[in-house]
Amino acid sequence: LAALVLSATACERAPQRAEPDPVDLFTVNTQTYTYGDMVPVHVAYTAVARWRGWSDADIEARRDWLVNNVVRLESGGCWMALGGTLYNAVGDPCESPAVRGRRSDAGFGQVTSAGWGRNGHVCKAEGLCSRWAVINSAWDSMNAMLSLYEHAGKFPWCWDRRAQRYHSCHLAP
């Protein structure tokens, strides 16, 4: 019986913190996101990081690498991007890609199934247990990326030499 109870609750959101402020949630989820525009991403990053309990100093220390590197290079600032999504030009609406991605990496940080899968940290800690859950909203997309960063640091984006060069991982906080 205990195993049944544990398996049924494995992917539910852990009660770690209060619900997001409704104004912050609304602001993050209703901004206009366009490919290559990091301004709304900075707003989302700040709001979600504060909700997660990061200090202003921590937010600023990680901002450049997480937003201007990881998000810019992984999704171009589009929270609903799936791996392989392509846009024609900077400024294209995130909702209108030239090619919709079909791979499992998802969201602002292109979190992979190792993060959101049923045994992944993002699933266990945040209740975001599919690529579709990660791209459910801009808030969830940023939350998944920041949760994974808290858990594994730069490793998900810097796991081999090629990725380390691509993301300038030597600059990561």
Side-chain angles (χ1 to χ4, degrees), residues 15-153:
Q16 297 176 353
R17 59 191 76 78
E19 289 296 314
D21 178 274
V23 173
D24 288 342
L25 193 63
F26 179 82
T27 300
V28 168
N29 287 337
T30 60
Q31 294 185 99
T32 299
Y33 293 89
T34 60
Y35 181 73
D37 182 4
M38 294 298 114
V39 173
V41 179
H42 281 281
V43 173
Y45 166 77
T46 301
V48 176
R50 280 196 178 126
W51 174 72
R52 294 189 66 78
W54 293 19
S55 70
D56 287 344
D58 286 341
I59 291 169
E60 292 313 313
R62 290 161 176 80
R63 177 185 301 281
D64 189 52
W65 195 76
L66 286 169
V67 175
N68 295 327
N69 185 319
V70 173
V71 173
R72 183 178 59 80
L73 294 173
E74 292 290 341
S75 67
C78 293
W79 58 269
M80 78 287 290
L82 294 174
T85 297
L86 299 173
Y87 293 88
N88 286 321
V90 169
D92 283 354
C94 288
E95 301 84 15
S96 303
V99 175
R100 287 217 183 267
R102 295 177 184 252
R103 294 193 301 265
S104 66
D105 37 332
F108 280 129
Q110 292 295 279
V111 174
T112 67
S113 60
W116 55 253
R118 81 173 176 191
N119 292 318
H121 170 76
V122 174
C123 178
K124 290 179 179 179
E126 308 303 328
L128 302 172
C129 301
S130 72
R131 63 185 173 170
W132 307 113
V134 170
I135 65 168
N136 179 59
S137 68
W139 185 278
D140 288 340
S141 184
M142 183 61 70
N143 190 39
M145 183 182 83
L146 297 186
S147 179
L148 187 59
Y149 177 78
E150 286 174 0
H151 176 72

Side-chain angles (χ1 to χ4, degrees), residues 1-16:
L1 181 62
L4 181 61
V5 171
L6 287 175
S7 67
T9 61
C11 286
E12 292 177 11
R13 185 177 299 269
Q16 297 176 353

